[in-house]
Amino acid sequence: MIDCLTLHNFKAFQQAELPLGPLTLLTGLNSSGKSSVLQAIALLRQSYEAGDLAVSEYLPEARRAGMTASVANQGFLLNGELVGLGTGVDVLHEDFPGGGEPLIGLGVGEGPYHYSWLVEYEAEQNLLPLFHADLPLTSEGAAAPTGPEAVTPSFLTAPFQYLHADRISPAEFYPRDHHAAIGRGFLGVRGEHTVNFLRHHARDEVPEGPLRHPRAESYLLLDQAAAWMGELCPGVDIQADAIEGADAVRLSYGFQGTLGATRRRRPTHVGFGLTYVLPIVVACLTARPGSLVLLENPEAHLHPQGQTRMAALAAAAAAQGAQVIMETHSDHVINGVRLAVKRGRLAPAQVVLHYFRGDGTGVDFVSPQVDTDGMLDQWPEGFFDELENTLDQLIG
Ligand SMILES: Nc1ncnc2c1ncn2[C@@H]1O[C@H](COP(=O)(O)OP(=O)(O)O)[C@@H](O)[C@H]1O
Ligand SMILES: [Mg+2]
């Protein structure tokens, strides 16, 4: 699990050290830096998956030994499957401290290990060249094994999902990309592989534990997904089918009591919200101990009660051992997580809350803590206080 993320000259952050937990909520005003946190993690994954992060190489030594070729393609790959960040000029923090060559850095703490990568600034480049990659260091400062035994950070190789705020909309057909959905188990940043994934894994069991929905027809993924979708939209069930002779899959919905068993509705004939949240439900339900799940605005297009239930599902994924980091604007999501703590589904220490206050020049954040009753130890100004503010004005 990533328990600390360091950002240096990265977009809105000049320098920040952000503690992360099994369930982390990133909140704050628009443009306050929430998505940038997810993007930083995704950027490291993307660079690693492209073979551009030399985690086991000690660069300065490699350089001294004249091994330039081996490090030539190392660095941050700014544009790829997970994130499209533009070029160096978009990523470098505008007000980097003057003097010297600007460097952009990201660091990740995982238990006793700390990893960091510093890259050089190249205004127009898509790959920012690696300047320095530290070996993992233990908290005592002793170097971890080097060479082939070097420890690869687990967040780079763990099962991973990253769902952007902008996700799939209802469609007649969805892509059938075997490599992404089945080979890698990746739902796509817009959730575009979810239907194919669900079709292929429909009969996988959701393991015993907090993710299992008590009222689902079975422990199988498709029934479990249907039961959780039913929490968000009562009475709904879902089906995912391959289309013979076409590289596409189809999703359909049934509604108890309104349609016969054989008549099903296409996504384009049910509310937008259902299709929009399906990737989030599947990402949470398939999260396992060690998985890393990044979610942008899981509440989007859901009614308030659905938002609270969505938070319960994310809390269940974290309780099952996954790490869930989500950006949210929703009181109902925050409250759903607080309720999960109060009900003992998650320990208070498993929840990390950050409230970002960007002031246009940098990012500042505060981190209210949840106690066993689900209460917060502080309530900074602007932190989900709009309901109260408006009520005061209505009543006053
Ligand atoms: N290179 C940069 N230097 C300084 N600030 C930046 C840079 N790139 C983006 N930003 C700032 O980051 C903010 C956008 O961050 P983002 O994480 O998308 O916000 P959120 O998800 O909270 O809405 C904006 O305020 C933008 O001005
Ligand atoms: Mg955002």
Side-chain angles (χ1 to χ4, degrees), residues 11-12 29-36 90 92-94 327:
K11 295 190 65 183
L29 304 181
N30 286 104
S31 285
S32 59
K34 305 178 295 294
S35 298
S36 305
D90 299 300
L92 178 70
H93 179 65
E94 264 167 29
E327 170 180 351

Side-chain angles (χ1 to χ4, degrees), residues 151-232:
V151 182
T152 301
S154 60
F155 81 96
L156 291 176
T157 52
F160 177 77
Q161 302 294 348
Y162 177 30
L163 288 163
H164 290 188
D166 167 30
R167 296 190 290 275
I168 49 168
S169 36
E172 294 283 326
F173 310 107
Y174 295 94
R176 188 174 177 182
D177 179 331
H178 190 87
H179 178 62
I182 290 127
R184 295 161 56 220
F186 187 54
L187 301 178
V189 289
R190 301 185 65 242
E192 63 272 29
H193 304 305
T194 307
V195 180
N196 194 29
F197 179 93
L198 205 50
R199 177 193 65 81
H200 189 82
H201 293 282
R203 303 193 59 76
D204 288 6
E205 264 196 28
V206 170
E208 196 177 342
L211 281 169
R212 262 197 197 169
H213 196 287
R215 291 183 299 282
E217 280 186 18
S218 77
Y219 301 147
L220 306 182
L221 180 63
L222 188 64
D223 288 331
Q224 288 285 324
W228 279 101
M229 292 291 282
E231 291 273 349
L232 312 174

Side-chain angles (χ1 to χ4, degrees), residues 77-99:
L77 182 66
L78 298 184
N79 300 291
E81 183 186 31
L82 300 178
V83 274
L85 297 179
T87 62
V89 68
D90 299 300
V91 174
L92 178 70
H93 179 65
E94 264 167 29
D95 302 315
F96 75 89

Side-chain angles (χ1 to χ4, degrees), residues 60-119:
E61 265 181 21
R63 282 201 169 149
R64 269 198 294 277
M67 290 165 58
T68 43
S70 65
V71 297
N73 291 326
Q74 301 295 311
F76 290 172
L77 182 66
L78 298 184
N79 300 291
E81 183 186 31
L82 300 178
V83 274
L85 297 179
T87 62
V89 68
D90 299 300
V91 174
L92 178 70
H93 179 65
E94 264 167 29
D95 302 315
F96 75 89
E101 191 191 2
L103 294 170
I104 299 166
L106 294 174
V108 169
E110 277 187 346
Y113 297 112
H114 192 268
Y115 310 85
S116 68
W117 296 269
L118 264 183
V119 298

